[in-house]
């Protein structure tokens, strides 16, 4: 589903590369944790997959396509196959929960009846049934993140990228979010989640890829956060 | 769904940037009013040229009895000289320029004079002998007066060659200078309008950067993200153009048609129907203004 071949990314000339010759592959339906300290290259990894950045060298393949060879105007179509969730939720504060989720369908031209049925379905799935008319600031952090996940998933993308989705949440709430991501993963959606929440990684026992200073130092099936444990 | 979504985006954008949108409307309004005024002035000039150049002619005044002009040293013009001048005007070389020639005899001139001034006391004492004989030449193109004048002036029996067009020139000069002024102001105002629209779109894009970044994230196409901003600019510019058309229409209707045309009756003035001819041009310029500004701004501020 996602394949990196000797991918390097250097932001400023002469600086240490953010990613250094990374090669790895994520299969369809996999759940992968991307772990490492801040600045280890986790976010750069995700940005490359979203084609918000281009690699300095090497190639990135997403859903069978070489991202360096798709033209600029096709990038939106690539992103329609990828849902994205962030630590800071990135919701529109002046729009209701329903509208925040619906926007993902509206901007890609889905018909109205499709929006009217799919959005409530997805909100129910993430556990927000009955809160359609709320505004983001009326919700708890965990609920806001569920809205963000609903927005990322409402279009049923093949891939879901999550950049520290539990970073702003307390442990109990985080567990709820992880259950939700696990459910989404079971529908066949490939998930790549960048995190430094060791408890969660240890509990889930999924594949773990560890980055240190832009280099991949570990790729472990059913792994834990720290290798030494 | 999509159309509705875009429309609601535009509505939001315009409401959030009400003051800026209003200023765009006003600046476009003023600049396009000047553009329109310049065009109408030129239409007026063309109108007047059409009307008057048909009537103006070159008068070749022939020597009267007591002229001091050097070419009149031989006294009053003779029959031979008149025929010679007519031959020159009718020659092959001038046939492309000269449309019609006729002779105004002393009697004709006297009749015209009497008609114009006959009721005045002093005119009663004028006799036919005091009138001057002349040749009246109608030109194919009145602007090419000089060609004909050069051929005829200085010949024996010709006292003076007068181009009636020169009487009108000062008027055209004023109208043309006014056009240049209006066009100059229009150019300045258009630059202001472009800068203002650019700033407006930029502000609008920045105030909605969060929204656009999210739209981009969920796979909105470039056009879809940029369209609301472009249309915002276009709608404001279009409103300005419509105001300008309205302003010009009112101006022509009440100042030119009602007042000028009533006061100065010998001129054929532009009318409100001319304003409708100018209208599409103004709308076109307004839309072009918005389009140029959008292109410049959006490629920088809402990139995928």
């Amino acid at each position: 589903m996602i394949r990196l071949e000797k991918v390097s990314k250097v932001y400023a000339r002469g600086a240490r590369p953010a990613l250094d010759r990374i090669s790895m592959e994520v299969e369809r339906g996999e759940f992968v944790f991307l772990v490492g300290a801040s600045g280890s290259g986790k976010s750069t990894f995700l940005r490359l997959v979203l084609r918000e950045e281009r690699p300095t060298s090497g190639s990135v393949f997403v859903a069978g396509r070489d991202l360096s060879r798709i033209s600029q105007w096709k990038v939106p179509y690539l992103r329609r196959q990828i849902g994205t969730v962030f630590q800071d939720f990135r919701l529109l504060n002046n729009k209701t929960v329903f509208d925040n989720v619906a926007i993902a369908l509206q901007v890609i031209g889905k018909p109205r009846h499709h929006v009217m049925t799919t959005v409530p379905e997805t909100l129910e799935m993430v556990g927000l049934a009955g809160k359609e008319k709320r505004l983001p600031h009326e919700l708890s952090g965990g609920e806001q993140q569920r809205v963000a996940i609903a927005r990322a998933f409402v279009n049923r993308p093949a891939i879901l990228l999550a950049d520290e989705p539990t970073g702003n949440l307390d442990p109990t709430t985080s567990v709820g979010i992880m259950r939700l991501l696990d459910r989404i993963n079971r529908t066949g959606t490939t998930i790549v989640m960048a995190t430094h929440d060791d408890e969660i990684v240890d509990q889930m026992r999924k594949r773990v890829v560890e980055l240190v200073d832009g280099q991949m130092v570990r790729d472990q099936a059913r792994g834990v956060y720290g290798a030494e444990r | 769904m999509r159309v509705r979504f875009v429309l609601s985006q535009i509505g939001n954008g315009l409401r959030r940037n009400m003051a800026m949108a209003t200023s765009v409307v006003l600046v476009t309004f003023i600049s396009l009013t000047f553009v329109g005024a310049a065009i109408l002035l030129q239409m007026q000039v063309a109108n007047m040229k059409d009307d008057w150049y048909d009537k103006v002619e070159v008068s070749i005044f022939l020597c009267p009895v007591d002229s001091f002009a050097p070419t009149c040293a031989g006294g009053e013009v003779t029959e031979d000289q008149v025929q010679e001048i007519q031959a020159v005007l009718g020659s092959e070389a001038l046939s492309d320029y000269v449309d019609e020639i006729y002779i105004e005899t002393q009697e004709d001139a006297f009749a015209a004079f009497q008609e114009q001034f006959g009721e005045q006391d002093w005119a009663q004492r004028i006799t036919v002998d005091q009138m001057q004989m002349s040749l009246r030449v109608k030109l194919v193109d009145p602007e090419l007066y000089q060609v004909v004048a050069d051929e005829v002036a200085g010949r024996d029996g010709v006292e003076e060659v007068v181009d009636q067009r020169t009487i009108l020139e000062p008027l055209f000069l004023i109208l043309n200078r006014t056009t240049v002024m209006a066009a100059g102001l229009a150019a300045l105002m258009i630059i202001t309008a472009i800068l203002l629209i650019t700033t407006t779109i930029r502000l609008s894009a920045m105030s909605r950067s969060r929204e656009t970044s999210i739209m981009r994230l969920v796979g909105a196409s470039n056009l879809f993200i940029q369209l609301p901003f472009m249309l915002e600019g276009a709608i404001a510019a279009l409103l300005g153009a419509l105001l300008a058309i309205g302003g010009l229409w009112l101006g022509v209707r009440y100042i030119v048609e009602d007042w000028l045309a009533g006061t100065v009756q010998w001129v054929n003035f532009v009318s409100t129907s001319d304003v409708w001819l100018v209208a599409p041009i103004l709308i076109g310029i307004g839309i072009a203004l918005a389009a140029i500004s959008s292109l410049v701004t959006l490629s920088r501020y809402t990139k995928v």
Side-chain angles (χ1 to χ4, degrees):
Chain A
M1 206 64 199
I2 301 171
R3 193 167 88 237
L4 275 68
E5 284 177 2
K6 294 190 191 123
V7 170
S8 295
K9 176 68 188 177
V10 184
Y11 282 107
R13 191 191 298 270
R16 181 182 64 77
L19 284 180
D20 195 0
R21 279 165 292 146
I22 302 284
S23 293
M24 71 164 305
E25 185 161 1
V26 179
E27 299 290 345
R28 181 183 295 273
E30 253 191 306
F31 195 126
V32 182
F33 282 117
L34 212 52
V35 303
S38 298
S40 59
K42 303 190 298 288
S43 295
T44 301
F45 182 106
L46 298 181
R47 291 169 68 79
L48 286 173
V49 173
L50 269 174
R51 205 178 177 272
E52 285 191 349
E53 302 282 353
R54 289 157 173 262
T56 312
S57 65
S59 357
V60 181
F61 293 86
V62 174
R65 268 185 295 181
D66 184 349
L67 296 198
S68 62
R69 301 177 74 157
I70 68 170
S71 56
Q72 195 64 40
W73 65 271
K74 276 191 175 158
V75 170
Y77 297 91
L78 167 77
R79 294 192 184 144
R80 289 174 197 185
Q81 301 178 37
I82 307 175
T84 322
V85 179
F86 296 94
Q87 181 175 5
D88 58 356
F89 320 137
R90 302 211 185 160
L91 300 177
L92 293 168
N93 294 320
N94 55 349
K95 283 194 185 333
T96 62
V97 168
F98 183 95
D99 288 341
N100 262 290
V101 178
I103 193 173
L105 295 175
Q106 287 165 336
V107 299
I108 60 176
K110 293 287 185 197
R112 196 174 146 73
H113 62 87
H114 180 81
V115 176
M116 296 313 284
T117 56
T118 316
V119 173
E121 251 173 54
T122 311
L123 282 174
E124 197 186 333
M125 180 198 164
V126 301
L128 290 173
K131 299 196 169 164
E132 286 88 349
K133 295 216 168 70
R134 301 284 190 87
L135 290 171
H137 68 85
E138 297 167 349
L139 301 176
S140 71
E143 287 171 326
Q144 290 189 39
Q145 192 59 293
R146 282 166 193 270
V147 177
I149 293 172
R151 182 181 67 200
F153 189 61
V154 70
N155 188 32
R156 301 291 183 271
I159 302 170
L160 188 79
L161 303 179
D163 194 356
E164 314 245 12
T166 59
N168 278 353
L169 305 174
D170 61 67
T172 332
T173 314
S174 299
V175 169
I177 295 294
M178 289 318 295
R179 284 218 188 99
L180 178 56
L181 289 178
D182 196 35
R183 266 185 71 193
I184 289 174
N185 178 230
R186 280 170 212 272
T187 66
T189 308
T190 312
I191 296 187
V192 178
M193 171 170 160
T195 187
H196 34 224
D197 192 333
D198 51 351
E199 266 178 54
I200 280 171
V201 177
D202 292 350
Q203 269 172 24
M204 298 281 288
R205 285 287 173 165
K206 299 284 186 185
R207 180 179 168 192
V208 174
V209 172
E210 185 174 355
L211 296 173
V212 174
D213 292 343
Q215 288 181 329
M216 198 168 95
V217 297
R218 179 162 63 111
D219 185 353
Q220 184 182 17
R222 305 185 60 77
V224 290
Y225 189 84
E228 62 278 8
R229 272 191 273 174
Chain B
M1 201 75 217
R2 264 193 136 169
V3 175
R4 260 178 50 176
F5 188 77
V6 171
L7 287 180
S8 79
Q9 291 268 315
I10 296 170
N12 276 337
L14 287 178
R15 231 173 300 132
R16 246 182 270 179
N17 273 323
M18 198 61 187
M20 287 299 279
T22 311
S23 63
V24 169
V25 171
L26 292 179
V27 168
T28 337
F29 164 40
I30 296 168
S31 58
L32 291 181
T33 304
F34 277 114
V35 172
I39 298 175
L40 284 175
L41 271 168
Q42 275 312 293
M43 285 174 128
Q44 182 64 54
V45 169
N47 254 356
M48 284 155 93
K49 281 188 177 168
D50 274 359
D51 284 358
W52 295 345
Y53 279 11
D54 271 357
K55 294 175 193 141
V56 299
E57 43 201 25
V58 175
S59 305
I60 302 166
F61 289 102
L62 303 174
C63 295
V65 189
D66 49 2
S67 173
F68 296 111
T71 45
C72 295
E76 193 175 8
V77 65
T78 64
E79 196 61 31
D80 287 349
Q81 284 171 335
V82 173
Q83 269 168 21
E84 195 190 331
I85 295 163
Q86 275 184 297
V88 170
L89 290 170
S91 72
E92 195 75 5
L94 289 182
S95 64
D96 285 344
Y97 304 101
V98 176
D99 185 27
E100 215 181 312
I101 313 162
Y102 57 95
I103 303 171
E104 190 179 70
T105 59
Q106 283 175 312
E107 288 76 17
D108 294 335
F110 183 73
F113 179 83
Q114 285 301 327
E115 196 185 325
Q116 201 166 2
F117 301 108
E119 287 156 23
Q120 315 282 333
D121 277 351
W122 56 268
Q124 308 295 332
R125 293 192 291 274
I126 303 290
T127 62
V128 176
D129 292 341
Q130 288 170 290
M131 299 311 295
Q132 190 170 14
M133 183 179 177
S134 63
L135 288 173
R136 296 298 168 97
V137 182
K138 198 166 228 15
L139 298 180
V140 176
D141 179 359
E143 312 253 1
L144 297 176
Y145 150 81
Q146 204 57 46
V147 181
V148 177
D150 284 349
E151 279 298 319
V152 183
R155 280 179 187 276
D156 283 343
V158 175
E159 188 190 37
E160 201 186 1
V161 182
V162 173
D163 180 13
Q164 288 183 347
R165 207 169 46 107
T166 54
I167 304 163
L168 302 175
E169 282 315 288
L171 188 58
F172 287 137
L173 195 68
I174 292 170
L175 287 174
N176 280 331
R177 292 255 163 94
T178 318
T179 306
V180 170
M181 249 175 62
L185 281 173
L188 273 180
M189 295 301 294
I190 282 175
I191 293 171
T192 319
I194 290 179
L195 292 176
L196 198 59
I197 297 174
T198 313
T199 317
T200 307
I201 292 175
R202 188 177 307 170
L203 273 180
S204 192
M206 288 199 294
S207 75
R208 269 189 273 164
S209 63
R210 189 184 171 83
E211 209 164 332
T212 51
S213 77
I214 288 169
M215 285 165 73
R216 211 171 293 137
L217 201 66
V218 295
S221 63
N222 243 349
L223 181 70
F224 190 75
I225 291 174
Q226 296 181 349
L227 198 63
F229 297 105
M230 287 192 223
L231 291 179
E232 263 176 63
I235 287 173
L238 196 64
L239 266 177
L242 292 179
L243 280 177
I245 293 165
L248 287 170
W249 190 89
L250 286 177
V252 171
R253 177 76 185 76
Y254 290 105
I255 297 177
V256 178
E257 283 187 346
D258 274 10
W259 178 67
L260 263 182
T263 319
V264 188
Q265 286 172 345
W266 43 275
V267 180
N268 188 4
F269 286 105
V270 289
S271 64
T272 44
S273 62
D274 291 313
V275 176
W276 298 125
L277 291 179
V278 178
I281 302 174
L282 297 187
I283 289 176
I285 295 176
I287 288 172
L289 280 183
I292 293 169
S293 322
S294 309
L295 282 178
V296 173
T297 328
L298 288 177
S299 54
R300 285 235 314 269
Y301 286 87
T302 55
K303 216 176 274 164
V304 165

